[in-house]
Amino acid sequence: MATNIDFKNIWKQQTSNRPNMEELLGKLKKFRNQNLRRLIFANIGLITTSLLILFIWYRYQPQMITTKIGIVLVVLGMAIFLFAYNKMFMVFYKIDQTQSNNEYLQSLYTVKSKQKLMQTTILNLYFIMLFLGICLYMYEYTSRMTLNSGILAYAVTLAWIAFNWLYLRPRTIKKQQEKLDELINKFEEINHQLKES
């Protein structure tokens, strides 16, 4: 059974070469605040985008069923993404300055596991729904264009989606994992040192 160590007081008594505790807690707080901010901006951005898409549907009344299915897929993809992403809010919110080292580590492990789910399953589902939705949505409007213009419209759109999927998404995931792994490693190191003392 894990004991709840008063880790800050023991740590202050240590004289060996150790990570600066205040600096580590500062990094943890910065990580927490960045993720809470990112979550809030994602909510604002995706809810606003969904409302705008629904307004376009209402205002311009698309005729083809493919356009309507495309709109539903895009909005549903955003809703599913936000639903899953918002489950992380309480995990980030609960990370505070009063936890023990074990609690910090458990919170970070929880973040890592939920972040992995978001970065794989949920993000893949989101991109697939977005891709299909946009392709279906565009069909009604590109069918009225010349063949070359329609092909160009799809090519530009698909290139933008591919750029996001193949370049931006992996870079973002890598940065998020590096920050989280750095924090986890430092707290594990502290835990290991405390067990040895």
Side-chain angles (χ1 to χ4, degrees):
M1 182 176 167
T3 57
N4 197 10
I5 301 169
D6 184 3
F7 140 80
K8 291 179 190 166
N9 288 332
I10 293 173
W11 200 252
K12 287 177 186 172
Q13 296 168 10
Q14 296 280 322
T15 55
S16 62
N17 190 7
R18 64 178 194 258
N20 183 329
M21 194 56 212
E22 287 74 28
E23 183 183 323
L24 186 54
L25 289 175
K27 284 184 178 182
L28 182 65
K29 185 177 181 181
K30 184 179 176 187
F31 173 79
R32 171 191 183 260
N33 291 341
Q34 282 176 339
N35 280 283
L36 285 172
R37 234 184 342 269
R38 193 177 292 130
L39 198 144
I40 291 166
F41 288 141
N43 273 278
I44 292 169
L46 291 180
I47 289 170
T48 304
T49 303
S50 295
L51 291 174
L52 182 63
I53 290 169
L54 292 173
F55 172 75
I56 290 169
W57 183 355
Y58 171 77
R59 177 74 176 87
Y60 295 103
Q61 295 294 314
Q63 302 302 307
M64 296 178 78
I65 191 72
T66 54
T67 312
K68 295 170 185 175
I69 292 171
I71 290 172
V72 169
L73 277 174
V74 169
V75 172
L76 188 59
M78 291 180 189
I80 290 169
F81 179 82
L82 282 179
F83 178 75
Y85 197 24
N86 284 329
K87 286 186 171 186
M88 293 187 72
F89 178 80
M90 284 313 291
V91 177
F92 289 125
Y93 187 74
K94 285 179 183 174
I95 298 174
D96 62 28
Q97 302 290 319
T98 62
Q99 292 180 312
S100 70
N101 191 43
N102 281 332
E103 290 169 328
Y104 285 131
L105 261 176
Q106 289 311 310
S107 294
L108 291 172
Y109 289 146
T110 302
V111 168
K112 185 169 182 147
S113 124
K114 288 187 180 291
Q115 196 175 67
K116 185 171 179 148
L117 176 72
M118 284 298 300
Q119 292 168 345
T120 55
T121 309
I122 302 299
L123 208 53
N124 289 345
L125 180 65
Y126 172 69
F127 265 95
I128 289 167
M129 292 178 82
L130 201 63
F131 169 75
L132 291 174
I134 289 171
C135 287
L136 289 170
Y137 176 82
M138 288 176 61
Y139 179 73
E140 179 174 344
Y141 304 105
T142 54
S143 66
R144 298 174 191 163
M145 298 177 179
T146 64
L147 181 63
N148 287 341
S149 298
I151 290 171
L152 180 63
Y154 268 105
V156 169
T157 304
L158 297 179
W160 175 246
I161 291 171
F163 173 73
N164 278 278
W165 178 258
L166 300 171
Y167 180 74
L168 291 181
R169 184 184 66 94
R171 280 180 53 118
T172 304
I173 288 171
K174 186 179 176 191
K175 281 183 187 177
Q176 288 174 344
Q177 286 175 340
E178 283 173 356
K179 286 180 185 177
L180 186 54
D181 287 342
E182 180 188 354
L183 283 171
I184 288 173
N185 290 339
K186 289 197 174 169
F187 277 106
E188 283 177 339
E189 181 187 334
I190 290 168
N191 243 8
H192 183 67
Q193 288 177 5
L194 286 172
K195 283 176 186 171
E196 287 181 346
S197 61

